[in-house]
Amino acid sequence: MELLQRLKESIAWLGGALAALTAIGYATGYYAFHAHLTMLGLGRVVDFQHEDMLLEGARFFFAVTAHLLQMMLALGAGLASVLVLSALLGEIGPLRRSWRRLVLWWAERRAALDVARPALISTLLLTALVLLLIAHTERFFYPLLALGRIDSLLFRAALPATNNCRALIPITDTGLTPAVAAALLMQGERCASLLLGEFRRLLDGYLVLLIAISLAFSVNFPIRPAVLTRVFRLVLAVYGMVYTLMLPVDFGILVRAAVYPVARLDFKNDAAVTGNLMTRNDKNLLLWLPSERKAMWYPSETIATVQVIGQNNLFSHPEGDAQ
C-alpha cells in the first residue's frame, strides 16, 4: 500500500510538472511568436495557433539551454584549469609561503579597516556592485530592450542585397543597434549567423546575471546596514526577471527565420495569385504578396484549390514576386 501511495504521489507530481512546463512553453512561445509577427508588421493580423506557440516555446528553450550548457562547460573547464594550476604552484615552497603571507597581510589590513573605518568596506563593496550592475545594463540589457522594439520591416523600403553582411555593422562593443539589426533581418537568410551571434551574446549576459544572482543569495556580503543587502538582492531579482521575460521577444526577432510556404491560389472565377501563405482558418486565408508588398485576406469560399509550391524567406526577394 505504501508503494502504491508513493506511485500515486509521483504520478500526481509528474502531471503537475508537465502542466507547469506546458504553460511556461505556451507563454514563452506566445512572446516569441508575437514579437516575430510584430517585427514583420503583421502582429495584429495573423492569428496564433496553439501548436505554433508550444513549438516556438520548445525551440526557444532548446536554443537557450544548449548555449548556456556550452558556456557552463567552457567556464567549468577554465575553472578546473585554474584549480589544477593553483595546486601545482602550491607545491612550490616559496610561492606557497608568499601566498600565505599575502593572505595573512590582507586579513590584518581588513581587520584594521573594520576598526578604523567600519563603513568603508561596506560602502566600497556596495559601490562596486552597483557599478557592475550599471555596466551590465549598458552592455546587455539596453540592447536587449531596444532590439525588442523592431517592427513593420515588411513595409519598409527594401534594401539592396549584399554578400558582405559585416559591412552593415559599425564597430561597436555593445552589440547590434536596432537599425543595424533591422538591416540584417531584411537581408533574409544571408545574415542569419550574425543575428544568431547577437542573441548568443545576450545569452552570455544572461549567464553572468544568473551567476551574480546565485552569489547574491548564497554569500553573506559585509554590507551594513543589512537592509541594503536585502534591497540589492530584490533589485537584482527583479532585474533578472525582466531580463528573462525579454529573451523570448528577442529570440522571435533575431533567431526565428521569416520562412513561410509559397502557395498558389486558384479561384473559382479562374483567377490565380501566388504569395507567401501566412495563416488560414475556416473562413479566410492570409497571403503575403511580395510584389505588391501587402497582405491580403481571401475568403475560403472563393478559392477552388490551394497549391503549396515551396517556401522562402519573406525578405529573400524584396524586389520581385515570390518564387
Side-chain angles (χ1 to χ4, degrees):
M1 293 297 294
E2 183 179 355
L3 180 61
L4 183 60
Q5 182 64 27
R6 289 183 178 179
L7 181 60
K8 290 181 179 179
E9 293 176 355
S10 300
I11 294 175
W13 177 87
L14 181 61
L18 289 176
L21 290 175
T22 301
I24 293 174
Y26 182 90
T28 302
Y30 175 85
Y31 280 124
F33 202 70
H34 183 270
H36 171 77
L37 293 175
T38 301
M39 177 268 292
L40 297 177
L42 303 173
R44 298 182 179 273
V45 179
V46 178
D47 295 327
F48 297 156
Q49 302 295 327
H50 295 284
E51 57 272 17
D52 290 338
M53 284 183 278
L54 287 176
L55 181 59
E56 207 61 31
R59 288 174 177 170
F60 168 78
F61 282 112
F62 177 80
V64 171
T65 303
H67 184 72
L68 291 182
L69 285 177
Q70 182 181 7
M71 294 305 300
M72 290 174 64
L73 289 174
L75 290 175
L79 180 60
S81 300
V82 171
L83 292 176
V84 170
L85 181 61
S86 300
L88 293 175
L89 294 177
E91 297 299 322
I92 302 175
L95 290 178
R96 184 171 62 251
R97 289 190 292 271
S98 299
W99 175 254
R100 289 177 178 175
R101 286 195 296 268
L102 179 61
V103 171
L104 182 60
W105 174 84
W106 170 249
E108 293 175 349
R109 289 292 300 169
R110 180 177 174 179
L113 284 174
D114 285 339
V115 174
R117 297 180 177 85
L120 179 60
I121 293 180
S122 176
T123 303
L124 291 177
L125 180 57
L126 184 60
T127 302
L129 292 175
V130 171
L131 290 177
L132 288 174
L133 183 59
I134 293 175
H136 189 278
T137 59
E138 291 290 338
R139 187 170 181 82
F140 297 107
F141 180 72
Y142 289 135
L144 177 79
L145 194 63
L147 291 172
R149 297 171 179 166
I150 299 176
D151 64 348
S152 305
L153 295 189
L154 285 177
F155 301 97
R156 297 188 187 182
L159 297 178
T162 179
N163 292 323
N164 185 13
C165 294
R166 294 190 179 276
L168 301 174
I169 305 176
I171 298 176
T172 178
D173 61 348
T174 57
L176 301 179
T177 63
V180 173
L184 295 175
L185 286 165
M186 295 176 71
Q187 292 297 319
E189 298 295 306
R190 288 182 290 270
C191 304
S193 61
L194 296 179
L195 295 168
L196 179 60
E198 173 63 12
F199 183 71
R200 288 175 173 172
R201 189 189 74 85
L202 297 174
L203 285 181
D204 293 340
Y206 186 55
L207 179 59
V208 171
L209 181 58
L210 290 179
I211 294 174
I213 292 175
S214 299
L215 292 175
F217 282 89
S218 59
V219 176
N220 292 322
F221 294 105
I223 298 177
R224 299 293 181 271
V227 66
L228 292 179
T229 302
R230 292 194 290 269
V231 170
F232 181 78
R233 287 173 175 170
L234 177 61
V235 170
L236 199 59
V238 173
Y239 176 59
M241 185 181 302
V242 176
Y243 199 108
T244 302
L245 292 176
M246 285 301 301
L247 281 175
V249 174
D250 282 49
F251 174 84
I253 294 174
L254 299 177
V255 180
R256 191 185 195 280
V259 176
Y260 289 86
V262 179
R264 172 186 170 89
L265 306 186
D266 293 305
F267 298 96
K268 294 178 180 179
N269 61 359
D270 295 331
V273 65
T274 300
N276 292 94
L277 179 60
M278 303 302 299
T279 188
R280 66 181 304 175
N281 52 42
D282 295 336
K283 297 181 178 181
N284 299 285
L285 184 148
L286 181 64
L287 208 65
W288 169 254
L289 306 176
S291 59
E292 303 177 33
R293 295 178 61 190
K294 65 180 181 181
M296 289 289 295
W297 284 103
Y298 295 99
S300 300
E301 61 186 17
T302 64
I303 301 172
T305 60
V306 179
Q307 301 179 51
V308 177
I309 57 179
Q311 64 177 11
N312 68 2
N313 192 292
L314 299 181
F315 299 106
S316 294
H317 306 280
E319 299 293 342
D321 295 337
Q323 301 294 322

